[in-house]
Amino acid sequence: MNYAEKILGKAIVSQGLKYVSGNPEENLPKILSLGEKIAIRQIDKENIRKIRQLMEDPNNNWRKFAITLLTRIDPHIREKTAGNFFVNACLLGNPTQYKLSEKYDINVPWAILIDPTAACNLKCVGCWAGEYNQKDALDYDTLDRVIGEAEELGIFFTIFSGGEPTVRKKDLIKLAEAHPDSVFLAFTNGTLIDDEFIKEVKRVGNLAFAVSIDGFEETTDARRGNKVYQRVMTAMEKMRDAGIIFGFSTTYMRGNIDEVSSDEFVDLMIEKGCIFGWYFTYVPVGRDADPTMMATPTERAKMYKRINEIRNTKPIFVLDFWNDGEYAYGCIAGGRRYLHINANGDVEPCAFVHYATCNIKDTSLLDALKSPLMMEYRRHQPFNENMLRPCPLIDNPEALQHMVHASGAHSTQMGDPEDIDEFYKKIKPHSDAWAKEAEELWKERQEKNKVSNENDEEVAAGVAE
C-alpha cells in the first residue's frame, strides 16, 4: 500500500468526519463526493456514488442510520474506525488483495477470523465451538505475527471469535494498540464487558463487538444460562452510553425465527445501541450435534424475506451469513473473502468447516492461503449458480466432501473427529430440501432484478434525453 495514499485518505476521513458531524443532514452527501476521489477502483467509485444518492434522500432509512452513527459513536472511535475500515480495509486494502491474488493465483481474503482462545465462561446449547479443547489458545506472539502478515497482504480487518475472546481482554487491547492501522471486531457473549474494559476500548479506538443473543430473556437464558440476558443488556447499555461500536449476533434455528426477526426484538436492539445485526443459521457441526435444531427450509426462506424487510424499514445494518450469498457472489470462505484460524492454530476455510491441511503455528499466512484445501476452494467457487445455495457445508455438501478428500484435509474437531462422509450423510437430506425452496426463491429474485434493471434503464434513457 502506498503510504502517502494511506495518510492522505485518513486525513480526508478525519477532516470529513469533523465537517459532517457539525451538520450531518446537510454535509453527509457532500463528504461522500470526496470519497469518490480517493477510491482507486471504478467499482468502489460507483458504489460510493450510489450511497451518496441514498444520503440525499431525507426519508431514506440508510440516511437515518448514517446520522445515528455520526451522532452516537464516540468521536475518537468514529475517526479511528472510519479511517481504518473505509480507507485501509476497503479503499486501499481491496486493490492490494486482488493484486496479490492474481500474482500468486490464490485467494487473498478481506478479513481473517481468529480464535485467541477456546476457553469460554459459558456453555451454550448447540455452540459450534462447544467441543473445542478449552485449554487451546494462541500465544500473543503468534496472534501479533498473523495480524502483521495480514496487513502486508492488504488485510486490515481482523475478527476475534472463540471460545470467548474477552477471556483475554488485555491481549485484545494490546493487539489493537500494536496494530493501529487495523480495525478489530470481537464476537462475544458480552458477560465479561465491564467499565474498566470499556475505558480501554475507548482509548485504543479500533475495537468493536458483536454481542451474542438468542432472542428475549427466556429464550436466551434457556440456551446460555440463568441471568445471561440481563448481563448482556447491561453490557449493551454501558457500551451505548460510552459511544462504542457494537451490534448483535444471533443464531436462528427451529423455533426462534419469529422472535429474533420480530419488530420488537430488532427495535430493542436498536434502542440498546446496536448499529448492526448479524444473523447465522444453526449448523450441526460435531458428531453429536443435533440436526433437528436446524431451521426448516420454510423458516430459512422466511428469514431471507424478513431480513430484506428489516433493511428497508429499520435504521440498523443487518446481515445474514448464508442468505446473503447473492451479494457476495456465493461462498466467501476458503480465503476468498475470509478464513478461520482456530485456537489450536488450524487454518480452516470457515468457522463452521472444521477441516484443515495446515497450522498457522508452523506456516505463514501467505503459505496457508496456498495450502491444498484453500486451493480446492478457489478452484470450485462459486459452488452453485443459485446464490441462495452458496455454502459447500449445508447447501452443497457434495462439494465439501470432494474438496476434503481431494486436499487430504483432516478433521480439526476436538475429542471426537467427524468424518466428512458421515457429515455428508447427516446434512444431505436438509440440503436437498432447501434446494427445492431456494430454486423458487431464486427465480422470484431474478425476475424482480430483471424488472428493476429495466426500470433503471428507462430512467437513464429519460435523463439522457
Side-chain angles (χ1 to χ4, degrees):
M1 179 185 300
N2 185 296
Y3 184 73
E5 287 179 334
K6 184 170 68 175
I7 295 299
L8 177 60
K10 285 194 172 184
I12 291 176
V13 169
S14 176
Q15 293 302 314
L17 284 172
K18 292 177 182 178
Y19 171 68
V20 173
S21 299
N23 186 353
E25 289 86 354
E26 181 177 335
N27 295 337
L28 186 55
K30 297 178 182 178
I31 201 63
L32 285 168
S33 296
L34 290 177
E36 292 181 60
K37 296 179 181 179
I38 65 172
I40 297 174
R41 299 186 304 159
Q42 187 59 35
I43 188 173
D44 293 328
K45 293 179 180 293
E46 293 174 359
N47 288 335
I48 294 174
R49 178 180 55 78
K50 292 177 181 178
I51 295 172
R52 175 172 54 80
Q53 291 173 344
L54 294 177
M55 295 302 107
E56 291 172 343
D57 179 3
N59 297 316
N60 186 272
N61 192 56
W62 291 108
R63 175 186 166 95
K64 295 176 183 178
F65 170 70
I67 292 174
T68 297
L69 290 181
L70 290 166
T71 55
R72 187 185 73 76
I73 303 303
D74 175 80
H76 172 61
I77 292 175
R78 187 175 61 211
E79 181 176 332
K80 185 86 171 181
T81 302
N84 289 355
F85 186 83
F86 293 109
V87 176
N88 293 352
C90 295
L91 296 181
L92 300 180
N94 269 330
T96 301
Q97 295 154 22
Y98 286 114
K99 181 179 179 180
L100 292 173
S101 178
E102 292 180 0
K103 177 180 179 180
Y104 295 110
D105 191 24
I106 59 173
N107 284 332
V108 178
W110 177 64
I112 58 171
L113 175 66
I114 191 167
D115 302 345
T117 179
C120 185
N121 61 322
L122 300 181
K123 191 170 180 60
C124 305
V125 177
C127 176
W128 56 264
E131 295 184 21
Y132 280 172
N133 182 349
Q134 296 226 349
K135 294 182 179 180
D136 282 339
L138 293 173
D139 61 76
Y140 176 85
D141 288 342
T142 298
L143 293 167
D144 180 56
R145 171 178 65 83
V146 173
I147 295 169
E149 290 174 351
E151 291 176 330
E152 291 177 0
L153 297 174
I155 307 165
F156 289 89
F157 189 24
T158 295
I159 305 172
F160 298 120
S161 58
E164 171 51 45
T166 60
V167 166
R168 295 179 64 180
K169 295 178 185 177
K170 292 183 179 179
D171 280 338
L172 296 190
I173 295 297
K174 188 177 178 181
L175 287 167
E177 193 168 27
H179 298 274
D181 289 336
S182 284
V183 62
F184 299 89
L185 173 72
F187 279 95
T188 174
N189 61 43
T191 61
L192 300 179
I193 295 176
D194 54 23
D195 292 335
E196 182 178 353
F197 185 48
I198 287 175
K199 183 179 179 181
E200 285 294 278
V201 171
K202 288 187 68 172
R203 180 178 64 81
V204 294
N206 57 340
L207 176 59
F209 301 93
V211 183
S212 299
I213 190 168
D214 299 297
F216 295 113
E217 187 166 14
E218 182 178 351
T219 305
T220 296
D221 286 357
R223 188 183 184 208
R224 297 183 175 272
N226 189 38
K227 297 184 179 180
V228 168
Y229 177 83
Q230 288 301 330
R231 294 166 69 184
V232 169
M233 292 296 101
T234 298
M236 285 186 173
E237 291 166 359
K238 286 179 177 291
M239 289 193 290
R240 176 197 62 196
D241 295 343
I244 289 174
I245 295 176
F246 71 95
F248 71 89
S249 169
T250 192
T251 300
Y252 62 89
M253 60 190 79
R254 192 167 303 189
N256 79 336
I257 299 291
D258 291 337
E259 184 172 342
V260 296
S261 65
S262 67
D263 284 334
E264 293 79 8
F265 177 76
V266 176
D267 289 343
L268 175 64
M269 294 297 97
I270 294 172
E271 176 193 329
K272 294 299 178 180
C274 293
I275 64 171
F276 65 87
W278 212 328
Y279 286 86
F280 297 85
T281 193
Y282 172 76
V283 179
V285 173
R287 191 188 295 272
D288 297 328
D290 184 4
T292 65
M293 291 178 63
M294 296 182 72
T296 67
T298 300
E299 288 176 323
R300 183 171 167 181
K302 184 176 183 179
M303 182 59 76
Y304 168 73
K305 295 178 180 179
R306 177 57 183 149
I307 289 293
N308 283 294
E309 290 176 357
I310 294 172
R311 287 180 177 134
N312 293 323
T313 59
K314 306 289 184 183
I316 185 171
F317 181 65
V318 290
L319 308 91
D320 186 321
F321 191 75
W322 273 267
N323 287 340
D324 280 345
E326 61 183 300
Y327 303 114
Y329 193 60
C331 172
I332 64 172
R336 178 170 168 259
R337 292 284 79 194
Y338 106 109
L339 57 74
H340 178 235
I341 303 172
N342 69 22
N344 185 52
D346 300 305
V347 184
E348 303 168 336
C350 173
F352 300 92
V353 177
H354 293 179
Y355 299 92
T357 55
C358 67
N359 191 290
I360 203 66
K361 294 176 183 176
D362 51 31
T363 191
S364 68
L365 181 59
L366 178 59
D367 285 339
L369 293 170
K370 299 176 182 178
S371 64
L373 185 53
M374 298 301 168
M375 293 305 295
E376 284 295 319
Y377 263 72
R378 179 170 173 80
R379 279 191 283 268
H380 291 90
Q381 289 165 324
F383 299 106
N384 201 300
E385 293 182 357
N386 184 335
M387 293 296 116
L388 296 182
R389 297 178 58 199
C391 179
L393 183 70
I394 62 174
D395 299 331
N396 308 278
E398 62 282 349
L400 182 61
Q401 183 185 43
H402 168 79
M403 292 188 296
V404 168
H405 285 310
S407 65
H410 63 274
S411 173
T412 58
Q413 192 69 36
M414 301 301 165
D416 194 10
E418 185 170 33
D419 180 80
I420 185 59
D421 296 326
E422 294 177 2
F423 180 82
Y424 173 82
K425 293 176 183 177
K426 178 172 68 176
I427 206 69
K428 182 60 174 173
H430 177 88
S431 171
D432 289 344
W434 170 244
K436 297 177 182 178
E437 191 84 35
E439 187 63 29
E440 294 302 314
L441 276 177
W442 189 239
K443 288 180 180 178
E444 179 182 323
R445 183 66 170 176
Q446 294 298 92
E447 185 60 33
K448 287 183 179 179
N449 287 341
K450 180 180 178 181
V451 172
S452 177
N453 290 336
E454 289 175 350
N455 290 338
D456 288 344
E457 289 175 1
E458 289 180 3
V459 171
V463 171
E465 292 178 1

